[in-house]
Amino acid sequence: KMKNIILLPLLLLILLSCQDGPRAAFNEEFTPIPVKNEIPIEKLIGKYVLDNDSKKRYNISDKEAITLNIQKNKKLIANNYVDAKTWKLKNEKVELPYYYYHSNEIGTNIDCPELNNGGVIGLYYRKKDSAITLYVYTRPLPGQEHGDYLRYIKVK
């Protein structure tokens, strides 16, 4: 029995050390917006705040105000943002163009190549209150096998 008590934590430690950097925690509080649902652009317009889980995985202080503001004029304003190429926090405000489209195969999408290095922005709902949530995918850093994502939750 003592052997099993020692072996189990050791095995878990070995498995966890094999990961390629920070990994997004699976979170059942959020669900992807179904492909068939076209979201009117008016519902996406507004301010989104980076959640605490994302801040932890990217080593960002809880006190940092990191927001995205989607505007109707096809501009996305990022107030502080994570550089998708380096995964480092950029303490600056930038205004970027975004593209909005819907297809029956891939669903409703927002694309902002400058923000996410050509990755994707997934649209999700938070189950408890149906708040729209943006999952901004970040590509793997050199030498890593997997990318990650930043989760921004709509606040207004």
Side-chain angles (χ1 to χ4, degrees), residues 16-115:
L16 291 174
S17 68
C18 293
Q19 292 186 4
D20 294 328
R23 297 301 306 271
F26 179 72
N27 194 325
E28 293 180 3
E29 290 182 50
F30 299 89
T31 185
I33 294 176
V35 170
K36 64 182 180 204
N37 292 11
E38 183 172 0
I39 306 297
I41 188 70
E42 290 76 22
K43 286 186 92 175
L44 298 174
I45 303 297
K47 182 178 179 180
Y48 296 78
V49 175
L50 188 65
D51 77 339
N52 287 333
D53 177 60
S54 297
K55 286 180 178 181
K56 282 181 196 168
R57 286 184 285 103
Y58 286 82
N59 298 318
I60 299 169
S61 165
D62 287 345
K63 296 174 185 171
E64 293 284 344
I66 301 169
T67 62
L68 298 179
N69 194 329
I70 297 177
Q71 300 183 333
K72 193 170 190 161
N73 64 356
K74 305 283 185 188
K75 296 287 182 192
L76 186 148
I77 298 172
N79 182 29
N80 298 337
Y81 64 98
V82 176
D83 183 336
K85 293 177 184 171
T86 64
W87 291 17
K88 301 284 185 216
L89 181 64
K90 295 270 200 162
N91 289 310
E92 58 187 58
K93 187 176 187 176
V94 294
E95 190 172 298
L96 305 166
Y98 71 86
Y99 308 96
Y100 172 76
Y101 53 92
H102 178 83
S103 99
N104 291 331
E105 289 84 38
I106 58 174
T108 302
N109 288 282
I110 296 175
D111 188 21
C112 184
E114 293 84 0
L115 180 67

Side-chain angles (χ1 to χ4, degrees), residues 1-10:
K1 264 191 166 177
M2 185 61 140
K3 185 175 159 185
N4 289 343
I5 292 172
I6 294 172
L7 232 98
L8 184 61
L10 184 60

